[in-house]
Amino acid sequence: MFAQVACGKCGKPFQVPEAQLGQSVVCSWCRESVTAVPLSGIVPEALPDDSPALPRPRLKRPWLAPVLVTLLSGLALVVAYVGSAYYRGGVPGFVWQRFEAPDGTCRVDLPGRVTEEELPADPKSPITLSGKKFTASSTFTRVGGFVGWYDLDPRPIQMTRPEDVLAAERERRKAETGWAVETESTSARVGGFDLLEVQFADGSAKYVERYVFVTKGPHKRLYVLGVGGGHFDPAGEDAKRVLNSFWFDETK
C-alpha cells in the first residue's frame, strides 16, 4: 500500500510505500531528502533568512534623464554668467533694483537690495544738516551703490557758494574712505542745479560719485549718489545706469 505524503521543501505531494513513513525519502519533484510524513501533517519549511530578495520592479521614466541634463546645463550657464560678471566688476541684470525714496523725492537704479541708515551732518560743511543714506549690495556682485541726501540749512544758502558745499562733501568722502581722487568734473548740471562728479580709486577698486546741490522747493538738499567696487569701470554702462537713472522732484 502507498501513502500520500508532501515534500517538506517544495510542498508538492507524492506517494511512498507505507513502510517508508517516518523515514527519509527523496522528493519526486525537487529531489530533496525529506521525512515522509502523511499529507495531513506536512508544513512546508520556510525559506532561509539569507534567501535572495526578489528585485523590485523599476519604474520607467525615459523623460527624466533629458530633463535633468537640461536643468543642470542651465544652472551651469547661470553660474558661469554670474561668476564672470562678479570677477570683472560687473552687475548681472537680475541684481538691479529700482529704488524710490520713502518720501517720493528721488529714485535711482541700484545694484542690489537697499538698507537705510542715518547720514550725520558734516561739521566741515557750511550749511549741511543730517539726512538719509540708502546703500545697495548683493552677493552676486562686488559692486555696491548708494543714494542719499543732506538737508540744507535754508538761512545761509544765499550766502554760500555751491562749489564750497560740493567740495566739502568730496573732502569728507576722501577722509572717510581713504580713497584717492582720480578725476572730477563740475561741467554737467542736473535739472539746472550745480553738481560735482568725482572718480575715486582704491587699488583695483574704482568708484564714481555725484553730488547735486538743490536749493529750490520745500526740501533744500545736497543729494549724494555713487557706485563702484572691485575692477569696476567708472565710465562703463553700470556706472551710467546709476548716474543717468537718478531723478529728483524739487517740488516735494
Side-chain angles (χ1 to χ4, degrees):
M1 297 289 295
F2 286 88
Q4 190 83 357
V5 298
C7 178
K9 297 288 186 179
C10 67
K12 292 184 179 181
F14 63 98
Q15 292 182 340
V16 298
E18 289 183 348
Q20 292 184 347
L21 289 176
Q23 298 179 14
S24 178
V25 296
V26 176
C27 175
S28 302
W29 299 98
C30 67
R31 313 307 300 174
E32 294 285 342
S33 295
V34 295
T35 302
V37 180
L39 185 61
S40 60
I42 292 297
V43 178
E45 296 180 11
L47 292 174
D49 293 338
D50 59 351
S51 299
L54 295 176
R56 295 183 178 179
R58 298 181 63 182
L59 298 178
K60 295 183 178 180
R61 297 187 178 93
W63 50 267
L64 185 58
V67 169
L68 289 176
V69 170
T70 301
L71 290 176
L72 291 175
S73 299
L75 179 61
L77 289 174
V78 171
V79 171
Y81 167 69
V82 173
S84 175
Y86 183 91
Y87 285 106
R88 71 172 185 269
V91 183
F94 66 87
V95 170
W96 288 101
Q97 303 282 334
R98 170 60 59 90
F99 168 77
E100 183 168 350
D103 60 3
T105 55
C106 68
R107 64 172 180 260
V108 66
D109 288 349
L110 290 174
R113 294 189 177 275
V114 168
T115 57
E116 178 181 345
E117 60 186 285
E118 295 296 321
L119 194 59
D122 179 7
K124 296 183 179 180
S125 175
I127 61 173
T128 56
L129 306 175
S130 61
K132 296 284 186 181
K133 185 177 181 181
F134 303 88
T135 303
S137 62
S138 171
T139 57
F140 298 103
T141 176
R142 289 190 287 181
V143 175
F146 72 90
V147 66
W149 62 79
Y150 295 96
D151 287 316
L152 301 178
D153 186 341
R155 293 168 295 179
I157 283 181
Q158 300 302 323
M159 299 179 291
T160 303
R161 298 190 309 167
E163 55 264 36
D164 293 337
V165 178
L166 298 171
E169 176 61 11
R170 177 199 62 212
E171 294 305 307
R172 186 194 73 80
R173 286 292 284 162
K174 283 176 58 180
E176 178 183 58
T177 62
W179 299 340
V181 175
E182 288 198 323
T183 63
E184 62 179 74
S185 173
T186 59
S187 59
R189 292 171 70 86
V190 173
F193 297 102
D194 294 283
L195 68 80
L196 175 64
E197 185 172 304
V198 185
Q199 291 186 16
F200 294 100
D202 181 28
S204 62
K206 307 289 183 179
Y207 306 86
V208 58
E209 297 187 357
R210 182 177 285 181
Y211 319 130
V212 187
F213 187 72
V214 179
T215 57
K216 295 181 180 179
H219 290 100
K220 296 171 176 57
R221 287 176 171 172
L222 174 64
Y223 283 102
V224 295
L225 66 150
V227 60
H231 300 286
F232 180 73
D233 181 5
E237 294 302 316
D238 290 336
K240 292 177 183 178
R241 177 165 183 170
V242 173
L243 299 179
N244 294 340
S245 66
F246 176 65
W247 170 91
F248 61 90
D249 186 352
E250 72 273 14
T251 67
K252 289 188 177 182

